[in-house]
Amino acid sequence: LCRSLGRGGGGGGGDNTPLITEILSLRQKKAEMLGYKNFAELSCARKMATPAKAMELMNDLRKSAYDVAVKEKQELAEFAKTKGHEGEIMAWDEGYYAELYRQEKLSFNEEDLRPYFPLPNVLKGMFGLAKRLFDIDIEQVEPPPPTWNADVRFFEVKRDGKAVAYLYLDAYARPEEKRGGAWMDECAARSKAMGGPDGVRLPVAHMVCNQSPPVGGKPSLMTLREVETLFHEFGHALQHMLTQQDYGLVSGVRGIPWDAVELPSQWAENWCYDKRTMDTLALHYETGEKIPIDLWNRLKEAKNYRAASRLLRQLQFSVSDLTLHSEGVPSGSSPHDVYRKVAETYLVSQPLESDRFLCGFSHIFAGGYAAGYFSYKWAEVLSADAFSAFEEVGLDQEDKVKETGARFRDTVLAMGGGRDAAKVFEDFRGRPPSPEALLRHEGLLKVA
């Protein structure tokens, strides 16, 4: 079964490897026609990172994670032996024993947290955090304007008592008419050209999630993952709503490089692991109790479980993508040979010979991440570094946290695509980004 899944679209009459080769060839021709050496350079022309800088970051992260990943594999093999496993841990064994280890050794089940995350409390705490950091008030409008569903809520965002933006929230799943996942998008962007009597049209955002609706008198109870997702989309919405750009094409999330647009969203997720913040929103829906410290500690430990192995897997995808779009496929080789060659450096457990992951790598062959899959990790570095600015002043130092929040609001959230993303980050942080905070958050920072 594992071998068959690995082959994916790479075997029999459905082998799409020739299509991958053709796509890579056409992209190279396109790059040359536009005056670029290769497609990776073309892709990065409108990103923060150059191909060389992206590869440098991937390699730096690999150095910090590789030895830890080797240790993680050894620990998993030892655990498997205690369960009667004989011989080497194979690809089809790893996932099973990793999950068994997590359940037995970490004693953490996300469902244990669900009673502590009723949606009304989560929204109140999340909006309270926005008030604390950015001095804004987010209030539900009653009665709401016409919406596409009765469950959709409409909020007004105010600063100093004056409306600055509006927000729709469509929180609940409706499988019969609504696709899965979660997203933020704009209804209207801030625009001087489209302005009303006050000269500026205010931005309007909508956030869409897919969590369980209230049932049997109980409020909508969220998993930790759903809380993170809500914060993630709220980070995007904040950048759209708090923009100070008056020109629509660079207002809010418009015009921001692909590898920087996830900065506010991933930054917002970090607050889900700040105990003070969680204590304002994680309250048991029946008793009002906060998350017990023992459960909180197990949550934090589970967060970084096999962090090195997970990081290396993402680096493998990113470097394979960059290599295919910069160096191409050597004569006499296939794209899968390039993927396996990268794996020799970036993975502890090597792919099976039959592995055809690239045949289903839709992000880079059927989506918008060609020569840009590294953007996920690049943005994680930015977001972790941005959050560390708050950690450095002390998350319990209220005046300094508010001061840092105001600076984040007036740079990262305000500038949109109207200023170079690297300069915006330096406006906030005072220096270029560093991966140190990300490695520390993942438990991978080497201590001298």
Side-chain angles (χ1 to χ4, degrees):
L1 177 61
C2 183
R3 293 183 190 277
S4 296
L5 286 172
R7 280 195 294 270
D15 186 358
N16 59 12
T17 301
L19 292 177
I20 291 176
T21 303
E22 182 180 4
I23 289 170
L24 292 171
S25 176
L26 290 173
R27 286 174 177 168
Q28 177 63 27
K29 290 180 180 178
K30 177 181 178 179
E32 292 174 356
M33 290 173 64
L34 294 173
Y36 293 91
K37 183 179 178 181
N38 52 57
F39 188 81
E41 289 190 358
L42 171 59
S43 173
C44 289
R46 300 184 66 181
K47 294 183 171 68
M48 274 186 73
T50 63
K53 282 291 185 183
M55 288 291 280
E56 180 183 353
L57 174 63
M58 301 302 108
N59 190 47
D60 287 345
L61 294 175
R62 181 196 68 83
K63 291 176 182 177
S64 296
Y66 193 88
D67 289 346
V68 181
V70 170
K71 184 178 180 181
E72 289 175 349
K73 183 177 180 179
Q74 291 170 344
E75 290 176 347
L76 193 63
E78 292 169 3
F79 172 76
K81 287 181 182 178
T82 68
K83 298 300 176 182
H85 183 83
E86 298 179 358
E88 182 182 356
I89 293 286
M90 303 301 291
W92 46 84
D93 300 316
E94 203 160 322
Y96 170 75
Y97 285 115
E99 177 59 20
L100 195 62
Y101 184 101
R102 187 184 72 84
Q103 292 180 6
E104 291 193 11
K105 300 294 185 180
L106 302 182
S107 302
F108 176 72
N109 186 337
E110 276 204 15
E111 287 300 313
D112 294 340
L113 289 168
R114 192 186 286 270
Y116 295 93
F117 291 128
L119 177 62
N121 284 1
V122 173
L123 287 177
K124 182 179 179 181
M126 185 174 73
F127 293 161
L129 177 66
K131 170 68 173 178
R132 177 189 177 202
L133 299 179
F134 308 130
D135 193 26
I136 59 173
D137 296 289
I138 303 177
E139 301 171 353
Q140 187 165 344
V141 176
E142 295 288 0
T147 60
W148 55 96
N149 186 275
D151 290 330
V152 175
R153 307 183 191 190
F154 184 68
F155 299 89
E156 184 176 52
V157 182
K158 294 180 178 180
R159 187 175 176 196
D160 297 326
K162 183 179 179 181
V164 296
Y166 298 93
L167 171 67
Y168 289 94
L169 173 62
D170 186 353
Y172 306 134
R174 298 190 300 276
E176 72 282 359
E177 64 178 11
K178 182 179 174 183
R179 68 179 171 90
W183 60 95
M184 189 289 301
D185 210 339
E186 61 181 60
C187 300
R190 181 182 173 95
S191 171
K192 188 174 183 179
M194 301 295 289
D198 63 352
V200 177
R201 182 181 68 182
L202 298 181
V204 183
H206 70 259
M207 289 166 49
V208 181
C209 300
N210 267 286
Q211 58 210 49
S212 301
V215 177
K218 293 182 180 180
S220 173
L221 299 177
M222 306 171 68
T223 65
L224 175 62
R225 186 64 58 198
E226 288 171 337
V227 174
E228 285 184 285
T229 298
L230 183 67
F231 269 69
H232 180 102
E233 302 308 334
F234 187 55
H236 282 308
L238 286 169
Q239 188 168 42
H240 182 68
M241 297 187 299
L242 300 186
T243 184
Q244 291 301 301
Q245 295 289 351
D246 290 337
Y247 297 95
L249 292 178
V250 294
S251 173
V253 296
R254 295 180 176 183
I256 298 175
W258 200 268
D259 50 352
V261 75
E262 296 293 335
L263 192 171
S265 55
Q266 293 180 348
W267 165 86
E269 290 182 42
N270 284 280
W271 293 98
C272 295
Y273 294 91
D274 171 48
K275 188 65 165 64
R276 171 175 172 161
T277 300
M278 286 296 100
D279 281 347
T280 68
L281 59 86
L283 303 172
H284 196 284
Y285 78 101
E286 290 179 321
T287 66
E289 293 178 327
K290 300 174 183 178
I291 297 175
I293 191 64
D294 175 63
L295 181 56
W296 176 261
N297 290 337
R298 284 186 278 133
L299 178 162
K300 293 292 290 287
E301 186 178 5
K303 173 182 177 288
N304 288 340
Y305 175 54
R306 292 180 62 79
S309 299
R310 288 187 280 108
L311 173 56
L312 289 182
R313 179 171 170 79
Q314 290 301 308
L315 298 182
Q316 162 73 6
F317 298 159
S318 300
V319 175
S320 295
D321 171 36
L322 281 171
T323 302
L324 286 167
H325 285 103
S326 58
E327 300 175 14
V329 180
S331 178
S333 300
S334 77
H336 309 297
D337 295 326
V338 175
Y339 181 78
R340 283 192 289 272
K341 184 66 176 177
V342 172
E344 291 176 6
T345 301
Y346 280 85
L347 294 184
V348 174
S349 298
Q350 296 304 299
L352 297 171
E353 185 66 27
S354 59
D355 188 289
R356 294 295 182 270
F357 168 80
L358 291 179
C359 290
F361 199 0
S362 58
H363 279 76
I364 69 170
F365 293 119
Y369 281 90
Y373 193 84
F374 72 86
S375 298
Y376 284 111
K377 201 54 62 180
W378 187 273
E380 281 187 48
V381 167
L382 298 178
S383 62
D385 198 355
F387 185 73
S388 72
F390 292 84
E391 294 176 314
E392 287 168 9
V393 300
L395 294 175
D396 58 347
Q397 300 297 310
E398 196 64 16
D399 290 344
K400 292 182 179 179
V401 166
K402 288 183 177 181
E403 180 183 320
T404 307
R407 193 168 72 251
F408 188 82
R409 178 196 63 207
D410 296 340
T411 54
V412 175
L413 300 182
M415 296 295 186
R419 180 168 169 79
D420 180 80
K423 293 179 180 177
V424 171
F425 185 88
E426 291 189 32
D427 289 342
F428 170 64
R429 206 64 179 93
R431 56 164 175 74
S434 164
E436 180 178 318
L438 175 63
L439 293 171
R440 175 166 50 82
H441 292 166
E442 297 282 352
L444 300 175
L445 190 63
K446 296 180 179 178
V447 180

